[in-house]
Amino acid sequence: MAQSDRLPPVWRALVAAGTFALLGACSTVAPLRPAPQRMQAIEANKQAAALFERADYAGAVAKYREALMLERAIENEDGIAINLINLSIGYQRLGDRGAAHAALREMIGSSFVQFPARRIAEAAFRSAVLLLEAEDVPAAATALVRAREACVEPACGLRGRLLNVQAQIALLDKDFAGARALAEQALGINRQEGEAAEQANALRLMGAALLELEQADAAQRAVIEALAIDKGLAQ
């Protein structure tokens, strides 16, 4: 049986919604030194981010590729990683899942460049999100393990997002009690870190788990709170 065949329609919809929320904002570049190529890379990255915000994903991908080329020229590992991650997000928005995965594999599987651990964690996290979108739950779980191994707090800053993905995997595996507990933990961490979009995602996951646990009133409260956060973010 294909992986997608075992997922009820409601969970396929949840994966799609959760994946969108988990994507979040693109990574940003912090200046390292005022070398001309570095400054050009920073400017290209800023232009790409602006295009992304306007939903011009093709334009954003072109600019991220330009920034990536400049970062490679000066061998800035962190800048290379940032732009590969952003390229993956851009390709995902364009519907090119193969290119999105390829950008991440260049980081995760690299034996030539020593990327910062927090960037490896983010790349593995993004890989898990893409795999959940494709409804490949076992592969997503493997990617999540890689992300957690590379995520060293507090520098990583992905703990709340990783817990949301873990809760989503538990939900798809029909571990509803486990999904609720993980979503509650994710909600607390994301509240502490001020991650509003991730709070809403945790609440949606909690609501879905509570509904399966036949706690309809609690599920409704969670969903209403998530919608209120969504509305605030849209203003």
Side-chain angles (χ1 to χ4, degrees), residues 82-104:
I82 286 168
N83 284 289
L84 284 171
I85 290 167
N86 287 339
L87 271 173
S88 177
I89 298 170
Y91 284 130
Q92 186 272 341
R93 292 296 175 90
L94 288 171
D96 191 343
R97 192 174 294 155
H101 277 296
L104 297 175

Side-chain angles (χ1 to χ4, degrees), residues 182-194 199 202 206:
L182 288 163
E184 287 175 348
Q185 190 178 354
L187 179 61
I189 291 171
N190 286 311
R191 278 176 172 160
Q192 290 174 6
E193 297 180 352
Q199 291 174 46
M206 191 185 307

